[in-house]
Structure formats: C-alpha cells, structure tokens
Amino acid sequence: LKEMALKEDLKFYFMNPCEKYRARCQIPWKLALQILKILMVTTQLIFFGLSNQLVVSFKEENTIAFKHLFLKGYTGVDEDDYSCSIYTQQDAYDSIFYVINQYKQLKNISLGTLGYEHEGSGLKICKQQYKKGTMLPSSDMLNINISTETECIFFKPQELAGKKAELKLNSSFFNLEFYRLIQVEISFKLKGIALQTIHARELPDCYAFQNTITFNNRAHSGKIKIYFDSDTNIQECKDWHVFGSVLQKNTQYILVFDGFVILSCLASLILCTRSIVLALRLQKRFVNFFLEKYKRHVCHADRLEFINGWYVLVIISDVMTIIGSILKMEIKAKNLTSYDVCSILLGTSTLFVWVGVIRYLGYFQTYNVLILTMQASLPKVLRFCCCAGMIYLGYTFCGWIVLGPYHEKFEDLNTVAECLFSLVNGDDMFATFAQIQQKSTLVWVFSRLYLYSFISLFIYMILSLFIALITDSYDTIKKYQQSGFPVTDLHEFLKDHGSVGYRKEQACMPFSCCCS
C-alpha cells in the first residue's frame, strides 16, 4: 500500500496540467494564472515604457540644448568622445567667457522651462595646473614642478550683473598659462520641469541638471578638447498643483491596475512556492523508500527531477515584478524617482515571464525539442566556452598592447573585446583591416597576422565546433524521441504503474474537452 501510494503520487506529480485535470479534476490554477499574468505584466511594462520614453527624450533634448547654449561654435555633432575642440589661446578665453555670459542671460535666451537651482548656487570655475616652472621648447629645456594646484572662483546668478562680477572677471585668475594648464572645469546646476508628460495624461516631473564643461589640456598637444557632461536627476516637485480631473483619474486607474498585477504575482508566488515544498517532500519520501526497499541511494539526476526549474524562474520573476510594481506606483505618485532600478526589475521580470511560456509549449513533443536540446548541450557548451575564452582573452590582451597605439578599436580592453566579438560574427571586417595606421611596417605586418589568424581560428574552427556541439545534442534528442530516452531508477520505478485510483475522465468533461 505504501509503494502504491508513492507511485500514484509520483505519477500525478509528473503529469502536465491537462492530465492532472483528467485524472483528479484538479483545475490548473497555475496555468490560468500564468496566462493572466503574462497579459497583465506585458501591459504594465508597455505603460511604463511609454512613460520612461518621455523621460529619456526630455533628458536627451535638454543635453543637446545645453550644448548649443553653452558651447561656443558647437555644430550639433560631437567630434569624438568629446563635444568640440579649440586650437588658439583666444578661442579658449572666448569659450570660457561665452559660458559665463550665457549662464548670465539664461532666462532671456533659453526656450525651455529652466531656472537656477536656488539663491546659494551658481557658476563654479576651477583651473588645475602644474606649479610654477619654465619651458623653452626651442632650446629643449624644461623646468617644471609636476605637483598640481587647483584654484576656483564662484559666481552667483544675482552677482553677474554687478561690479563684483566684473572685478572677478578682470582678476588674475583668468590669466591662463597654457604651458602648465591641465584643465579648466566649469560646473553649474539648473532646474527644469517636464510639461510634456501632461499630454500623456501624467503628472509632470521636476529635474535637476548638474552640468560640467571641461577644457582638457592634459596632452598639451595644441588641441584643447571640450567635454560636456550633464548628470540628470529626477526630483520630487515640492509644491505642484495640476488642475484637471483627467490627469488625476488616469493616475488612479494605473495605480489600481498595478495593484492587481501585484496581487496576481503574489498568488503565483504562493502557488509555485507551495509546489516546490510539496515536491521536496515527495522527493524525501521517494529517497527514503528507495533506500529502505532497494538498499541504495537515489542518483543525483533522479533527485533533480523533483526540482522544477520553471517554478524557480517564476518565483524570481514574481518577486522582481512585485518590487518593480511597488516602485512604479511610487514613481507614478511622484514619491520616488528611481526609474533605472524600476526599469531593470520590470524588464527582467517580463523577460522571465515570456521565457516561462516555453514550459507549457514543452508539453507538446514538437516544441519540446528546443528545451531538451538546450538542456543536453548546456554542460558541453559551457566547458567549450571556458576553453575558447582563454584563447579569446589572449588575443584581447595581445591586440590591446600591440595595436592600441595604431588603431582606435584597440585603444582599451573593453573596445578590443567588442571589436573581436564583432569579427567573430563577421561584422566590420574591412574597416578593421583598413583603419590600421601604417606608421610602423613591423606593426602593420603583425596586425595582418594577428587578424587573419584570429578570424580563421574563431570563425572556421571554434565557431564551427560550437555549432557542432549543439547539432550533436539535437541529433541525440531526436534519436531518443524515436527509440526512447535512457531509463533511470525513477522511470523504472514508475514504468509498470497505471492510473489506478484516479477519478474517471467523464466527471471532468467541461474542461477535459479542451485539454484533450
């Protein structure tokens, strides 16, 4: 009786939802809830994505506007990783004073809803330079102290129109000695309000823009690179009054919908956690019975049969969705402004929810091939990637050291890794070959050997072996589906057990017709 009861419970545990309903009329609540959750979570993500899109566009457009406002001669296109560059001393002075003058007239010239942060804030200018020394390039003479010193000056918005500002502008601070100047940094903070969210029936956001303009002269090459960096933070509007019932009602509807999403994910979390707990109890019963009757332990593979990875994935997804939904509700109510954290949580949870759909497709033999192939090939693929990764890292370090001074795609490790990954996928090959500088014949010859050997090794050998591993696993699974999968102790234990003791199918006709 004990063995029959265990076999019956094991048989029922490994059934799919339709088989469970036909056997015991157990309604597949988890399946229905997962389908509902997919629709709700995806709808929630679309709403949040549209709202986040307004935030991103507002930040980007303000950054472009700031560059046109404060960078003298800005053409609208960044030169490289910096915005623009200057080549004469007069251009340096003009660019610095241009920033001060534009900051002074901000309210009269800006098209946006911008303003100074508060009365105590202002424009801060700092210059970093080497200590006193002399330099005569014509005589190849250099006498300089490489210790640096930093000097700053501060302008308040209300001071810029007065005599005090004129005295500061005419001070010795602005007598720049370019041979020892390292950089000049101008920083200021502005506030703004995004009104475009009102058109999307959302409450407006308040923004703080921490802008920094850096005149970089570290190379002392006759070219000063001008960098513009804008760090944008969304802040709570301290005192806002928006009139119109449409905005308030729309916000309330979305908050109610987010609440339903949290409830559905909470129910899914409870059901999946309960299933894992019951599976672990069933595993313990089976291990103890097997040890008691057959005097040996159950193998590791049979133990893992009880741990349903899809339930673990659903639990992780539910936790992330619940936390992300709470953050979204706080953002919607303008109590929080952490868009990035909320985006990561909701985006990743939606990814897991849709990946979890594969589990239900796996009940059909035709669709189950993908899942079984991934499971069979994953260990071999990971071992293969570890070996290939060693070769990849070797090429990465070699390319960085040798080709870095002669090729812009090999200037730093991150760029080298991205360039080599593109080459493996057959992307941008000609440009990589053509952009190498031919200043050194030895390096040029080495670059050809380096690139030809890497492309030949990874595309023709390593990538082909990688595909062969997956193909081999696919062929193995196809053979198993035709001739049968290897029988383990668990399968042997359940082989001769029928469906004795289950309810008859006729009692479950309302649902079983669709399940059949």
Side-chain angles (χ1 to χ4, degrees):
L1 291 177
K2 183 179 179 181
E3 181 177 352
M4 290 296 295
L6 178 59
K7 286 185 176 181
E8 184 175 315
D9 290 340
L10 288 172
K11 190 82 172 179
F12 183 77
Y13 174 75
F14 290 108
M15 288 180 177
N16 63 44
C18 292
E19 291 173 343
K20 288 181 179 180
Y21 181 78
R22 288 198 296 267
R24 294 183 181 178
C25 288
Q26 178 175 306
I27 298 176
W29 294 111
K30 287 195 292 292
L31 173 60
L33 191 58
Q34 293 306 316
I35 296 174
L36 176 64
K37 195 177 72 172
I38 287 173
L39 298 175
M40 297 182 70
V41 169
T42 305
T43 304
Q44 180 193 48
L45 186 73
I46 292 173
F47 285 145
F48 182 74
L50 294 174
S51 176
N52 199 21
Q53 187 176 350
L54 297 177
V55 175
V56 173
S57 64
F58 186 75
K59 291 180 180 180
E60 291 179 349
E61 291 172 5
N62 271 278
T63 300
I64 296 173
F66 290 149
K67 289 181 179 180
H68 283 279
L69 280 173
F70 297 105
L71 299 183
K72 183 177 176 62
Y74 182 67
T75 60
V77 180
D78 291 351
E79 295 186 12
D80 195 1
D81 59 337
Y82 51 91
S83 298
C84 55
S85 55
I86 51 179
Y87 299 91
T88 65
Q89 295 184 13
Q90 188 59 44
D91 287 342
Y93 286 115
D94 290 344
S95 298
I96 293 172
F97 288 118
Y98 182 81
V99 175
I100 299 173
N101 189 51
Q102 292 293 97
Y103 181 79
K104 173 184 174 182
Q105 305 179 57
L106 179 66
K107 292 184 178 180
N108 298 325
I109 62 176
S110 173
L111 297 174
T113 56
L114 297 173
Y116 306 117
E117 185 187 17
H118 51 75
E119 295 299 326
S121 67
L123 189 74
K124 183 180 180 182
I125 305 176
C126 294
K127 64 177 182 180
Q128 184 184 18
Q129 57 189 6
Y130 297 116
K131 290 188 176 180
K132 287 289 184 180
T134 56
M135 183 174 61
L136 296 173
S138 58
S139 303
D140 297 330
M141 188 184 76
L142 174 65
N143 181 19
I144 194 168
N145 188 345
I146 61 172
S147 300
T148 61
E149 58 183 5
T150 303
E151 187 178 354
C152 297
I153 193 170
F154 188 78
F155 294 93
K156 291 184 179 181
Q158 62 272 20
E159 293 178 350
L160 288 171
K163 293 183 178 180
K164 190 174 181 180
E166 291 184 11
L167 293 175
K168 289 183 178 180
L169 292 173
N170 295 325
S171 66
S172 60
F173 177 85
F174 291 98
N175 294 329
L176 304 177
E177 295 177 292
F178 290 92
Y179 77 92
R180 64 190 188 97
L181 178 68
I182 299 174
Q183 71 176 26
V184 176
E185 185 177 280
I186 303 175
S187 59
F188 53 93
K189 197 170 186 178
L190 300 175
K191 302 295 284 289
I193 300 176
L195 296 179
Q196 63 175 343
T197 54
I198 294 178
H199 300 290
R201 297 184 177 182
E202 293 185 18
L203 296 173
D205 290 318
C206 294
Y207 290 79
F209 302 96
Q210 180 62 52
N211 300 316
T212 304
I213 303 173
T214 304
F215 296 79
N216 192 326
N217 191 40
R218 292 182 181 274
H220 289 85
S221 59
K223 174 182 178 179
I224 294 181
K225 300 176 183 179
I226 302 178
Y227 295 85
F228 184 91
D229 179 61
S230 183
D231 187 13
T232 308
N233 292 317
I234 305 175
Q235 299 180 345
E236 300 177 33
C237 294
K238 297 180 180 178
D239 187 17
W240 52 269
H241 301 280
V242 180
F243 301 97
S245 58
V246 177
L247 289 178
Q248 299 291 344
K249 288 182 178 180
N250 184 66
T251 302
Q252 292 173 0
Y253 292 152
I254 294 179
L255 291 176
V256 170
F257 178 77
D258 291 336
F260 279 115
V261 172
I262 293 175
L263 290 177
S264 65
C265 290
L266 192 60
S268 173
L269 177 65
I270 293 173
L271 289 176
C272 291
T273 305
R274 171 181 171 273
S275 297
I276 290 180
V277 172
L278 294 177
L280 292 175
R281 290 180 180 175
L282 187 60
Q283 181 200 61
K284 186 176 180 180
R285 283 177 56 194
F286 175 68
V287 170
N288 292 337
F289 178 83
F290 208 79
L291 183 63
E292 179 183 345
K293 182 174 181 179
Y294 299 103
K295 308 301 180 184
R296 57 192 178 95
H297 294 281
V298 177
C299 65
H300 185 66
D302 281 343
R303 289 174 181 267
L304 289 179
E305 289 281 346
F306 291 88
I307 307 299
N308 195 324
W310 296 112
Y311 288 157
V312 177
L313 187 69
V314 170
I315 289 174
I316 295 173
S317 172
D318 289 336
V319 172
M320 297 180 76
T321 303
I322 291 172
I323 299 174
S325 298
I326 294 174
L327 292 178
K328 181 178 177 292
M329 294 174 72
E330 292 294 319
I331 292 172
K332 195 69 180 177
K334 305 305 175 186
N335 297 325
L336 282 179
T337 57
S338 53
Y339 272 85
D340 293 337
V341 177
C342 185
S343 300
I344 293 173
L345 290 173
L346 291 181
T348 308
S349 65
T350 306
L351 169 64
F352 289 163
V353 165
W354 279 98
V355 170
V357 177
I358 301 177
R359 176 199 175 210
Y360 299 104
L361 295 177
Y363 294 139
F364 306 97
Q365 184 175 356
T366 307
Y367 298 101
N368 198 32
V369 175
L370 173 62
I371 303 173
L372 295 176
T373 304
M374 292 175 62
Q375 289 177 345
S377 62
L378 185 61
K380 294 184 287 186
V381 166
L382 290 178
R383 289 192 294 267
F384 181 80
C385 287
C386 289
C387 297
M390 300 299 104
I391 305 175
Y392 189 86
L393 284 175
Y395 270 94
T396 301
F397 287 114
C398 178
W400 175 47
I401 292 297
V402 180
L403 303 181
Y406 301 94
H407 202 300
E408 63 178 6
K409 292 185 178 180
F410 291 83
E411 290 179 351
D412 58 76
L413 276 174
N414 186 44
T415 309
V416 176
E418 293 171 355
C419 176
L420 295 181
F421 188 77
S422 298
L423 290 176
V424 171
N425 291 278
D427 183 33
D428 214 19
M429 283 192 182
F430 177 76
T432 305
F433 276 95
Q435 290 177 6
I436 187 72
Q437 299 177 15
Q438 300 186 17
K439 293 182 179 180
S440 173
T441 305
L442 180 62
V443 173
W444 184 86
V445 172
F446 178 86
S447 70
R448 265 45 193 172
L449 295 174
Y450 173 85
L451 292 174
Y452 279 123
S453 63
F454 176 82
I455 292 171
S456 302
L457 179 64
F458 271 83
I459 291 183
Y460 302 129
M461 183 179 293
I462 294 180
L463 196 59
S464 299
L465 287 173
F466 183 83
I467 297 172
L469 287 176
I470 300 175
T471 306
D472 179 64
S473 299
Y474 176 78
D475 292 337
T476 304
I477 295 299
K478 293 294 288 184
K479 291 178 182 177
Y480 284 163
Q481 287 185 333
Q482 294 173 0
S483 59
F485 287 84
V487 179
T488 63
D489 291 336
L490 178 61
H491 298 151
E492 189 71 29
F493 184 73
L494 296 175
K495 188 168 63 174
D496 299 328
H497 181 68
S499 57
V500 181
Y502 294 142
R503 297 183 186 180
K504 292 185 178 180
E505 189 173 339
Q506 287 76 6
C508 309
M509 285 302 293
F511 289 95
S512 63
C513 57
C514 64
C515 291
S516 61

